[in-house]
Amino acid sequence: MKEYTCIVCPNGCSLVYDELTNTCKGNRCPRGAKYAENEFLHPMRSVTSTVKTSLPEYPVISVRTSTDIPKEKVFSLLRELNKVTVSEYLPINSIVIKNVLNTGADVITTAPMRKGK
Ligand code: SF4
């Protein structure tokens, strides 16, 4: 048995997942059962963080992954972000790292950058 808190919606149901029977209790909807199964088999996470820039107005900028990545790669991704320095003004959703760690996800900016903001 594994216990999870469903994060699919704000209800935050407390889930108990039985990995032997692949059944779930505590979920108020089917999405919770799928969430518990995924958490057990291959947990994924969306990552938001920052990267540094060489631009005077922006010591750092906010970024996120374009899709969820495997949970076990989150710390490796954060190390990759530490290696990046953005040196130009980018619009929102610009790719900072393409296909990061071969996950299929890009790291993208979450806000537009303006010179002299
Ligand atoms: S089980 Fe359904 S209702 Fe409960 S938190 Fe998950 S998505 Fe929301």
Side-chain angles (χ1 to χ4, degrees), residues 64-82:
R64 67 175 174 84
T65 50
S66 58
T67 62
D68 291 351
I69 67 166
K71 183 180 176 184
E72 71 268 16
K73 292 196 172 184
V74 169
F75 285 110
S76 297
L77 180 141
L78 295 175
R79 281 194 290 273
E80 292 301 306
L81 295 183
N82 279 335

Side-chain angles (χ1 to χ4, degrees), residues 19-107:
E19 63 271 28
L20 297 177
T21 60
N22 188 26
T23 56
C24 184
K25 291 182 179 169
N27 52 308
R28 289 189 225 171
C29 78
R31 292 181 298 167
K34 190 67 188 167
Y35 173 81
E37 181 184 2
N38 286 340
E39 276 296 286
F40 180 73
L41 293 176
H42 45 84
M44 304 286 283
R45 292 291 182 273
S46 174
V47 179
T48 59
S49 186
T50 58
V51 296
K52 59 186 177 292
T53 88
S54 60
L55 306 166
E57 302 95 331
Y58 298 94
V60 294
I61 57 168
S62 296
V63 295
R64 67 175 174 84
T65 50
S66 58
T67 62
D68 291 351
I69 67 166
K71 183 180 176 184
E72 71 268 16
K73 292 196 172 184
V74 169
F75 285 110
S76 297
L77 180 141
L78 295 175
R79 281 194 290 273
E80 292 301 306
L81 295 183
N82 279 335
K83 299 175 188 172
V84 173
T85 301
V86 171
S87 59
E88 58 186 317
Y89 297 91
L90 300 172
I92 189 171
N93 293 331
S94 296
I95 295 175
V96 174
I97 305 175
K98 186 157 186 62
N99 189 23
V100 63
L101 301 171
N102 291 317
T103 58
D106 300 329
V107 175

